[in-house]
């Protein structure tokens, strides 16, 4: 026995050491001067470190079917080259679906510049300008001029000149060899873009310039004339310039996109999620604070209630958090803000396994067994319940990962790892520590614990019909409000539109902001003042977010505010996300139904699904009643409720199955009532610990995760209620042929 314990101890110490090795330091260490001392081992999502998430759609409508086949892949290569030259660390550029490209740019906060570099087609053309004033007059009058079209060109004095350019390009950017930014030797050293062509391009350029001396040669980029200098002589060198009153930054970016090559087809930004560095830092601070507060609250509660056993559970809990962070660092998983919420939630759910074990040990001690026998029996009897309840939650986490995007996947990843590590710490580490204190030194012969209920005998099934009525009324009210609100229930994630968060240096009025929105063409926008007074969240179904930013700059000044985050979702993406959310909920319930039917009986699965639908509808109803919007984090919360609720239900179903074996002569009603009372302490304790954690998340987690925490609070209460008053009682009202029901 001692040899086995030694090996277990070595295993636990090694795993803890590896977790520290892989994860230290989890986040960047910054000195007093703001310099980076040591890079953190955790990969942070864009919502925590700041950056941009762009979803691009390749527009293949104006190219041939053959060209359209590989256009997305060619576009990915060109966009990746542009980003590499832009200097972004660890960018993500990958195909998503048939013609969509996902681009993630960590640390990038200049939205306009990044979108210009990523989304610009950069189709370069050289065209001859007509010097015939009569033709120009005809074209301006609306007459058709064969082979020519009128273009606007900005002059050096920032005025606009009409130029008549040929419709046929004499030379394109496909023949560029290199580009660079340089400075003019005239005036104040105006920046320009220098072009160098390959051998073939140099020959064509020499021929074009040689045969058109005295004429103007227009340089067009994506159909816009940037410059149109006179050709003084033939240029055999294959060198040219693009001028156009550029800033240094604009000239650099233009040289980057030209050097990387033009896109095979235009790309449209159909989804954007940008987070400023300050909001990212604020999210980390609030998330870690919530985790710390929740952890301390749970540790105090467990220590007070279970005493020595609670101290053991707390050690296992701390090790569990360490293993989660170590595993995420080892597997290069990305920690997102919802991921921190998953970490916080894991604290509450990890306690559940220990509560199950301790309550089982308590029951065995009451039967007169000695401590060693009670511990052994307690772990044996709790194992299947822990396995079943955690596996059903894992099913929802996997489905959430499969159908989720970005930060929501981060939540699913954290939750999945947390489920595995919490099972390990509860079944291995807690058992190891109990074995060590009962076998070594002065042997411990009994463990004292507090208990909420000694031997409760509440007739739960007697109240099942009033409980059904209460649930029907609550769901009816919630769904009525939900239906009446219609599309107003959904946030920009599912309808398309924009969400912007601004932080002003000085207090501003909502009326002033409303005036800007009206001028920007988004008069329908909702304005929400964030706690603190200087931050505002603006929501609108209009996706033109740049108009709002420029309008606010014009009204308050460039430095008067900071853009904390921007979310812009096209209607097509919103529709896709809504379908995906519905699929995720559907498949989660189907997966759980199949597993419960396999482990128990089909009627158990039916009653469990009814209880889950109850909890989802209650959650949706409360979102509608409180004026909140359904977003991706809210869907993640609903799926987590499904996992939590079935976890609770499985515990009672396992006890019902066990009690039926030993109480064969008892009626089904007596068995269910007995099982509900035997697990009542566990139900209350688990609900209380998870509720503590979620309340902390709601109060201290920050604005971005507030809706998630609210829905989770509703779900924990509803899930505990439905387990006791819906799922289990329905076994009586959906009886099998062998069920004996008291009349």
């Amino acid at each position: 026995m001692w040899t086995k314990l030694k090996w277990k101890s070595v295993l636990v110490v090694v795993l803890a050491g590896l977790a520290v090795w892989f994860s230290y330091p989890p986040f960047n260490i910054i000195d007093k001067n703001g310099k980076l001392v040591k890079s953190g081992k955790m990969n942070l999502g864009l919502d925590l470190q700041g950056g941009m998430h762009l979803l691009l759609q390749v527009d293949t409508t104006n190219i041939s079917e053959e060209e359209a086949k590989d256009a997305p892949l060619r576009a990915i290569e060109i966009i990746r080259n542009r980003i590499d030259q832009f200097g972004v660390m660890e960018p993500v550029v990958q195909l998503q679906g048939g013609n969509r490209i996902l681009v993630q740019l960590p640390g990038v906060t200049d939205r306009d510049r990044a979108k210009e570099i990523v989304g610009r087609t950069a189709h370069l053309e050289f065209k001859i300008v007509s010097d015939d004033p009569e033709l120009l007059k005809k074209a301006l009058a609306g007459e058709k001029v064969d082979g020519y079209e009128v273009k606007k060109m900005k002059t050096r004095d920032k005025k606009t000149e009409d130029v008549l350019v040929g419709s046929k390009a004499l030379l394109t950017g496909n023949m560029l060899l290199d580009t660079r930014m340089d400075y003019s030797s005239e005036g104040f050293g105006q920046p320009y873009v220098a072009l160098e062509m390959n051998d073939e391009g140099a020959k064509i350029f020499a021929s074009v310039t040689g045969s058109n001396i005295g004429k103007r040669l227009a340089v067009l980029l994506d159909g816009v004339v940037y410059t149109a200098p006179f050709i003084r002589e033939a240029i055999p060198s294959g060198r040219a310039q693009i001028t156009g009153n550029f800033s240094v930054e604009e000239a650099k970016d233009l040289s980057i996109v030209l050097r990387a090559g033009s896109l095979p087809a235009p790309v449209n930004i159909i989804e954007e999620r940008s987070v400023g560095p300050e909001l990212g830092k604020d999210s980390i601070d609030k998330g870690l604070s919530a985790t710390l507060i929740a952890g301390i609250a749970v540790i105090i509660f467990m220590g007070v209630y279970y005493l020595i056993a609670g101290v053991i559970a707390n050690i296992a809990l701390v090790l569990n958090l360490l293993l989660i962070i170590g595993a995420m660092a080892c597997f290069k998983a990305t920690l997102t803000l919802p991921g921190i919420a998953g970490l916080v939630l894991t604290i509450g759910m990890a306690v559940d396994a220990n509560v199950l074990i301790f309550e089982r040990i308590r029951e065995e001690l009451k039967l007169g067994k000695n401590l060693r026998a009670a511990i052994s029996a307690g772990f044996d009897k709790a194992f299947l319940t822990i396995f079943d309840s955690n596996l059903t939650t894992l099913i929802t986490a996997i489905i959430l990962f499969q159908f989720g995007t970005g930060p929501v996947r981060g939540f699913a990843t954290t939750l999945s790892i947390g489920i595995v590590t919490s099972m390990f710490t509860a079944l291995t580490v807690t058992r190891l520590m109990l074995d060590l204190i009962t076998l070594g030194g002065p042997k411990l012969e009994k463990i004292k614990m507090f208990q909420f209920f000694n031997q409760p005998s509440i007739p739960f099934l007697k109240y099942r019909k009033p409980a059904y009525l209460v649930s029907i009324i609550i769901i009816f009210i919630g769904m009525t409000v939900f239906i009446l609100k219609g599309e107003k229930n959904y946030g920009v994630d599912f309808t398309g539109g924009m969400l912007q968060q601004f932080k002003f240096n000085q207090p501003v009025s909502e009326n002033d902001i409303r005036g800007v929105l009206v001028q920007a063409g988004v008069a329908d926008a909702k304005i929400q003042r964030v706690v603190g007074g200087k931050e505002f969240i603006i929501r609108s179904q209009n996706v033109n977010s740049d108009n709002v930013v420029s309008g606010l700059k014009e009204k308050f000044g460039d430095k008067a505010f900071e853009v904390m985050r921007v979310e812009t979702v096209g209607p097509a993406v919103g529709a896709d996300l809504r379908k995906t959310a519905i699929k995720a909920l559907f498949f989660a319930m189907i997966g759980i139904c199949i597993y419960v039917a396999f482990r128990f009986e089909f009627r158990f699965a039916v009653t469990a699904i009814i209880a889950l639908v109850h909890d989802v509808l209650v959650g949706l109803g409360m979102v509608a009643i409180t004026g909140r919007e359904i977003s991706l984090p809210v869907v993640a919360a609903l799926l987590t409720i499904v996992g939590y609720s079935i976890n609770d239900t499985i515990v009672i179903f396992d006890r019902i199955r066990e009690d039926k074996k030993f109480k064969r002569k008892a009626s089904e009603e007596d068995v269910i009532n007995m099982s509900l009372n035997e697990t009542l302490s566990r139900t209350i304790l688990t609900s209380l610990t998870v509720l503590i954690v979620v309340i902390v998340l709601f109060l201290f987690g920050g604005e971005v995760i507030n809706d998630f925490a609210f829905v989770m609070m509703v779900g924990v209460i509803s899930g505990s209620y439905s387990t006791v008053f819906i799922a289990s009682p329905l076994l009586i009202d959906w009886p099998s042929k062998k069920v004996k029901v008291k009349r």
Side-chain angles (χ1 to χ4, degrees), residues 573-631:
V573 176
D576 289 347
L577 290 175
R578 192 186 300 196
K579 291 176 185 175
T580 300
I582 293 170
K583 283 181 183 178
L585 280 167
F586 175 76
F587 284 116
M589 290 192 180
I590 291 296
I592 288 170
C593 183
I594 292 171
Y595 183 78
V596 174
F598 172 75
R599 291 288 291 131
F600 299 90
E601 301 173 26
F602 179 70
R603 68 192 183 100
F604 279 74
V606 172
T607 61
I609 291 299
I610 292 173
L612 294 183
V613 172
H614 166 279
D615 298 334
V616 170
L617 293 179
V618 169
L620 287 174
M622 290 306 296
V623 168
I625 290 170
T626 56
R628 296 170 184 269
E629 294 179 339
I630 300 174
S631 59

Side-chain angles (χ1 to χ4, degrees), residues 116 133 135 430 474 687:
E116 183 77 6
L135 284 180
T430 302
I474 291 173
S687 300

